[in-house]
């Protein structure tokens, strides 16, 4: 049901299938415990380990957004062949030991997949990783008494302290894993919708709403510079070449702008053809250099309409915040807008500084 509401996270479907396979395997293993027979034992251990194969597949799918079909089929083949080969040979004890070892390795591998996705910064990920590791250790504990006390030709299900502990851990932890998988899905939904609400759909940079939120929440401090870029004669380009080409021009500039800035810098589309950039820990002189670099790179973009090259340029206004006189973003934005107006008056395709009207053509 969660997947139907938000179909990106198909790993939920894979995990649900794995939970169902684990459920079926547990039923057959319970039949083996109640009525010792090698066939239910083999079906039970095979089903349980196949369930953990699918758990690993869901974890890999979560991290990479693709189902590892070949690896999953290969692991499933190894599980089925090994379990039934040992069952046919009457080595039920070794079959149970191997099933515990395979389950342990698959659980640890699943934990690693989720841990490898920690860059997503989802709160539930660390708990999900810990639960997989805990369940994996419960299977590891079961191997010890089985290897010491149980003969290879086992005629009944093992019943010892490790088995009881494992049962308790699995009931609690696998239920919690299901809940956390749903929680991660919801975290992703909230995060993605937040990003969508803050991102300009055409260019991929921040939109005006997100920029205004950033401006209001940021405390005034020195060594910050605001730059406003405005595409020259953009309305003429739109009218002559059409909106589709105009959209291409906007995307091209946003790409050049993002590629020319540091990770800590902020870029947003604040109007139709107007972009704002906030440079932290930057002097005005350095900001002018950056703005000119963006201007020159954009002018060199190979844009063409109906096979004919179209040269597009941009003008910019720069306004800084001196270290001894911190200014908020709104004040600097107003100063940068004034400098941009001067750049337009002086012929466009240039950068002007608010304080001294420095023109860099």
């Amino acid at each position: 049901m969660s997947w139907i509401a938000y179909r990106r996270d198909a790993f939920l479907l894979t995990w649900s299938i794995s939970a169902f396979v684990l459920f079926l395997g547990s039923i057959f293993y319970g039949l083996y415990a109640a009525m010792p027979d090698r066939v239910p034992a083999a079906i039970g251990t095979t089903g349980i380990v196949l369930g953990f194969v699918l758990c690993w597949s869901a974890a890999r799918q979560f991290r990479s957004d693709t189902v590892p079909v070949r690896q999953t089929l290969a692991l499933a083949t190894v599980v089925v062949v090994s379990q039934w080969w040992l069952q046919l040979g009457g080595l039920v004890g070794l079959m149970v030991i191997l099933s515990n070892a395979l389950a342990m390795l698959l659980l640890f591998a699943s934990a690693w997949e989720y841990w490898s996705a920690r860059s997503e910064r989802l709160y539930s990920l660390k708990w999900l990783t810990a639960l997989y590791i805990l369940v994996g250790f419960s299977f590891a504990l079961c191997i010890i008494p089985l290897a010491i006390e149980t003969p290879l030709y086992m005629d009944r299900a093992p019943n010892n302290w490790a088995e009881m502990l494992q049962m308790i851990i699995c009931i609690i932890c696998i239920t919690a894993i299901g809940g956390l998988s749903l929680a991660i899905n919801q975290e992703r939904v909230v995060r993605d919708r937040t990003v969508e609400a803050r991102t300009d759909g055409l260019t991929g940079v921040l939109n005006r709403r997100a920029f205004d939120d950033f401006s209001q929440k940021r405390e005034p401090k020195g060594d910050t510079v605001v730059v406003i870029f405005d595409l020259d004669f953009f309305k003429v380009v739109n009218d002559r070449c059409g909106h589709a080409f105009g959209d291409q021009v906007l995307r091209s500039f946003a790409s050049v702008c993002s590629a020319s800035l540091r990770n800590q810098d902020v870029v947003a589309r604040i109007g139709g053809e107007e972009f704002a950039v906030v440079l932290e820990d930057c002097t005005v002189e350095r900001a002018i250099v950056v703005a000119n670099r963006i201007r020159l790179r954009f002018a060199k973009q190979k844009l063409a309409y109906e096979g004919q090259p179209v040269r597009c340029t941009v003008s910019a206004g720069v306004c800084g915040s001196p270290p001894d006189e911190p200014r908020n973003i709104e004040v600097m934005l107003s100063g940068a807008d004034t400098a941009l107006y001067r750049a337009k008056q002086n012929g466009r395709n240039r950068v002007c500084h608010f304080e001294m009207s420095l023109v860099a053509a």
Side-chain angles (χ1 to χ4, degrees), residues 12-77:
L12 284 174
L13 292 180
T14 308
W15 192 91
S16 298
I17 295 171
S18 75
F20 183 68
V21 174
L22 284 170
F23 169 70
L24 294 178
S26 299
I27 288 178
F28 278 95
Y29 195 77
L31 291 175
Y32 167 60
M35 184 181 59
D37 186 273
R38 288 187 304 176
V39 173
I43 296 176
T45 56
T46 301
I48 290 172
V49 181
L50 284 178
F52 288 126
V53 169
L54 291 172
C55 275
W56 171 82
S57 182
R60 172 64 68 86
Q61 189 177 0
F62 171 83
R63 183 173 66 86
S64 62
D65 285 332
T66 56
V67 181
V69 177
R70 292 183 180 179
Q71 297 95 320
T72 301
L73 290 175
L75 288 170
T77 301

Side-chain angles (χ1 to χ4, degrees), residues 22-307:
L22 284 170
F23 169 70
L24 294 178
S26 299
I27 288 178
F28 278 95
Y29 195 77
L31 291 175
Y32 167 60
M35 184 181 59
D37 186 273
R38 288 187 304 176
V39 173
I43 296 176
T45 56
T46 301
I48 290 172
V49 181
L50 284 178
F52 288 126
V53 169
L54 291 172
C55 275
W56 171 82
S57 182
R60 172 64 68 86
Q61 189 177 0
F62 171 83
R63 183 173 66 86
S64 62
D65 285 332
T66 56
V67 181
V69 177
R70 292 183 180 179
Q71 297 95 320
T72 301
L73 290 175
L75 288 170
T77 301
V78 170
V79 170
V80 173
V81 170
S82 63
Q83 292 295 287
W84 283 90
W85 180 75
L86 292 172
Q87 184 270 338
L88 292 173
L91 302 174
V92 179
L94 185 58
M95 180 186 72
V96 175
I97 291 173
L98 180 61
S99 69
N100 279 280
L102 290 173
M104 174 194 68
L105 293 174
L106 288 165
L107 285 160
F108 287 161
S110 300
W112 174 252
E113 293 293 340
Y114 285 112
W115 180 248
S116 298
R118 62 189 181 277
S119 60
E120 288 198 41
R121 297 181 180 179
L122 300 174
Y123 177 77
S124 302
L125 269 182
K126 59 182 179 182
W127 298 108
L128 192 62
T129 302
L131 287 174
Y132 271 105
I133 292 174
L134 182 58
V135 178
F137 272 119
S138 75
F139 278 89
L141 289 175
C142 287
I143 297 174
I144 299 173
L146 284 172
I148 295 174
E149 303 169 4
T150 305
L152 298 182
Y153 300 91
M154 190 169 63
D155 57 358
R156 63 178 59 86
N159 185 14
N160 52 56
W161 64 269
E163 294 287 332
M164 294 300 295
L165 180 61
Q166 181 207 54
M167 180 179 67
I168 295 171
I169 291 176
C170 284
I171 290 174
I172 297 173
C173 291
I174 292 180
T175 303
I177 285 172
L180 285 173
S181 296
L182 292 174
I184 283 177
N185 174 64
Q186 294 304 312
E187 285 186 65
R188 275 183 160 182
V189 170
V190 172
R191 181 199 61 194
D192 290 350
R193 288 180 178 172
T194 300
V195 170
E196 289 173 4
R198 294 173 55 84
T199 303
D200 177 60
L202 178 63
T203 61
V205 300
L206 293 181
N207 57 24
R208 182 62 190 248
R209 176 182 176 182
F211 184 78
D212 288 342
D213 289 343
F214 167 77
S215 301
Q216 292 169 7
K217 294 177 181 178
R218 182 188 170 279
E219 292 294 330
K221 60 180 181 179
D223 294 331
T224 300
V225 184
V226 170
V227 184
I228 294 183
F229 293 94
D230 188 87
L231 302 187
D232 297 328
F233 303 110
F234 182 74
K235 187 178 185 304
V236 175
V237 172
N238 243 349
D239 292 341
R240 289 181 178 177
C241 304
H243 291 287
F245 181 77
D247 290 347
Q248 180 185 345
V249 173
L250 290 170
R251 285 192 293 266
S252 177
F253 177 76
S255 178
V256 169
C257 202
S258 298
S260 304
L261 299 173
R262 304 165 297 178
N263 291 334
Q264 69 196 64
D265 299 328
V266 175
V267 56
R269 183 185 176 196
I270 59 173
E273 66 271 21
E274 202 168 57
F275 294 79
V277 171
V278 179
L279 304 171
E280 302 280 3
D281 298 320
C282 183
T283 63
V284 170
E285 291 75 15
R286 178 60 185 166
I288 292 172
V289 172
V290 172
N292 270 303
R293 181 166 65 232
I294 292 172
R295 178 181 65 84
L296 294 171
R297 287 179 178 177
F298 178 62
K300 293 178 181 178
Q301 291 296 294
K302 296 179 179 180
L303 300 169
Y305 176 69
E306 295 183 349

